[in-house]
Each structure stands twice: as C-alpha cells, then as structure tokens.
Amino acid sequence: MKKWTISITLLVIYLGTMIAPYYLTTITHEMDAKNYWFQLHYGVFHVPSIIYILISAFILHFSVNTDVNRSKESHHKINKEITEAQEALDMQHFDAENIINSKNSFIKNIWHVIRNGGIEDDMELIVEKETLKLATIYERLIAEYGYIAAVLPMLGMLGTITGLLQMFAVADGVDNIAQKMASLSVALATTLYATLWVVLITKPKSREIESNLIALNEQEQRLILSSKLFLHNADLNLLIEHAQKLEDEEDVETA
C-alpha cells in the first residue's frame, strides 16, 4: 500500500471517528454534541478514540503484512537450506553425490564455484547473494515499523489537539465543568491508546524482525565458514573427477 493512500485513509478515519460524531449530532439537532461526546466517555475509555486508534493501527500494520508473510516463508526455507548445506559440507558426513546432485540452492552455487576454480571470496559472495533478498525484506520491515512507531503517536496527538479544541469550545461555568473534563479526557486518552499500541504491539514486532535479521546474518556467517573449511579440507580434484564420471554415465544411459 502506497504512503499517500495510507495518509488519505488515516485522514478519513480521523474525520469519521473524531470529528464527524461531534458535529453531526449538532447539525441534525437530535442531541447536544457536547453531551453526546460526554456520554461516549467511560473513565479512561473513550469509544471514538479507541475506534480511531485501533483502525489507524490496523491500517498501518496491514500495509506491511505482505512483507511479514513473505519474510516468514523465506526465512523458513532459507533456514532449512542452510542447515542442509552445512550438513552436506561437513567432512565427517561427506558424500560426494550429495554435493554434486544436490537441489539445495546454496550447495548448487557452492559446487558451481568449486567446479570453476573459485576462491574463498567467491564462496562468501555466493552465500550473501542467496540471503540478500530476505535481508533486504527484513531491513525494509524494520524501517516500516519505525515509521509506524513514529506516525501512530502523532495520530494520537492529533486526537489530543481535537479534544483540547473541543474543551475550549465549551462555555465557561460550573455547569460545564463535566463536559470540559470529558473533552480533556478525550485529549489524553487518544495519545494514551496510541502510545500503548506502539509499546505493546509495534515495538515487539520490530524487535522480532531485528532478531530474525541477526539470526539470518549468523546463519550466513556459519555457512560461509563451513564452505571455506570444505574448500580447504576436501579433495576437490577427486570431487570434480567423480562429477565428470557421473555425467559420462548419464550420457551413456541417455544415448
């Protein structure tokens, strides 16, 4: 979802939940708007404010939902392939055919490097290339959650300003104290809800993504180390000869 689309959607939500209920009742003359606003306030709970923040937060989080789902699927796949690759490159469980015929993307690329006389730096580049797409998604998600964590309290402040303006619009007098306090409560409650959402939902999700990115980098480094050790310890010439023999046998069977 594009940023300008999100902005327009949030503006509509603000007008529909924080502004329209206050003025609509005055226009229709069904009840006094200030009394209406007071009736929707129950202690620390203010219904329009809750609806405003919840819908706004949902829209913001929904905008990154596609990347979140994609990252989960990719991380599961890459985690599985890295584990398989490390086992295949372990000299204690070495099996030449597991290297040569592997459908694992990491092993296939590492084998390609070995067969073409690549060096350690080539191994590192190959592994980094395979994990780059997922790392990029994680970095984008971290930035998006940072954006949400910054915007949501600002939306809360917008509700706070609205509540304060409504409080100042109430005429002075002892009879109107309750209405003034209700509007002040609306002002404070909106920022409270937005801050609570950021602290309890947005920040933990952001930290989870950061942890996944760190775990991905650690897995990447372990596989790079395994591939370099394999390059030093394995008899690469014998491995290449074995691969050539298997290819010749396949050609004979095909013929």
Side-chain angles (χ1 to χ4, degrees):
M1 191 181 293
K2 295 181 179 179
K3 289 291 188 291
W4 64 267
T5 307
I6 296 173
S7 299
I8 293 174
T9 304
L10 294 176
L11 177 61
V12 171
I13 293 168
Y14 167 72
L15 293 174
T17 57
M18 298 298 291
I19 302 298
Y22 185 80
Y23 290 103
L24 187 60
T25 50
T26 299
I27 294 173
T28 57
H29 300 288
E30 292 179 0
M31 65 174 72
D32 181 71
K34 300 177 183 60
N35 288 332
Y36 171 78
W37 209 246
F38 178 71
Q39 290 166 7
L40 289 177
H41 169 259
Y42 309 97
V44 296
F45 299 101
H46 182 257
V47 177
S49 299
I50 293 174
I51 294 173
Y52 167 53
I53 294 300
L54 284 180
I55 297 178
S56 298
F58 175 80
I59 292 295
L60 288 169
H61 279 267
F62 180 78
S63 68
V64 300
N65 193 54
T66 301
D67 278 342
V68 170
N69 292 334
R70 190 187 309 163
S71 70
K72 288 179 180 178
E73 294 172 2
S74 298
H75 193 100
H76 177 73
K77 179 183 177 183
I78 286 178
N79 184 53
K80 181 180 178 181
E81 289 200 338
I82 287 179
T83 302
E84 290 175 352
Q86 286 181 299
E87 291 175 356
L89 295 173
D90 186 351
M91 294 304 298
Q92 293 180 352
H93 308 93
F94 176 69
D95 185 340
E97 292 193 16
N98 283 344
I99 300 291
I100 297 166
N101 299 321
S102 177
K103 297 188 181 299
N104 183 296
S105 58
F106 289 98
I107 293 296
K108 286 170 67 175
N109 286 318
I110 289 172
W111 169 235
H112 179 75
V113 170
I114 291 172
R115 193 157 192 180
N116 289 278
I119 59 176
E120 289 186 359
D121 289 345
D122 296 320
M123 294 282 198
E124 190 168 342
L125 288 172
I126 283 295
V127 174
E128 289 176 351
K129 180 182 177 182
E130 286 294 318
T131 59
L132 178 62
K133 184 176 180 180
L134 179 56
T136 302
I137 292 175
Y138 279 147
E139 288 171 358
R140 183 166 63 245
L141 280 173
I142 291 170
E144 291 289 349
Y145 279 124
Y147 168 77
I148 294 172
V151 167
L152 206 51
M154 292 174 65
L155 294 175
M157 285 298 297
L158 191 60
T160 297
I161 294 170
T162 302
L164 291 174
L165 290 175
Q166 290 163 357
M167 183 184 72
F168 295 142
V170 177
D172 292 333
V174 176
D175 295 338
N176 294 325
I177 289 295
Q179 293 176 3
K180 280 184 175 290
M181 291 301 100
S183 295
L184 179 60
S185 181
V186 169
L188 299 177
T190 313
T191 299
L192 172 65
Y193 302 148
T195 304
L196 283 175
W197 184 280
V198 170
V199 172
L200 299 177
I201 306 294
T202 305
K203 283 298 183 180
K205 283 183 175 291
S206 180
R207 288 297 301 162
E208 181 183 355
I209 297 299
E210 289 173 10
S211 298
N212 288 342
L213 179 58
I214 291 171
L216 177 66
N217 290 334
E218 290 174 350
Q219 289 176 308
E220 177 187 295
Q221 292 306 311
R222 284 197 295 268
L223 182 56
I224 289 172
L225 179 59
S226 296
S227 64
K228 289 180 178 180
L229 289 173
F230 181 80
L231 192 63
H232 283 287
N233 299 328
D235 189 338
L236 301 182
N237 291 327
L238 184 62
L239 185 61
I240 292 172
E241 288 175 8
H242 186 65
Q244 188 62 53
K245 182 181 178 182
L246 289 175
E247 289 175 359
D248 292 341
E249 289 175 356
E250 289 178 3
D251 291 339
V252 170
E253 290 176 1
T254 303

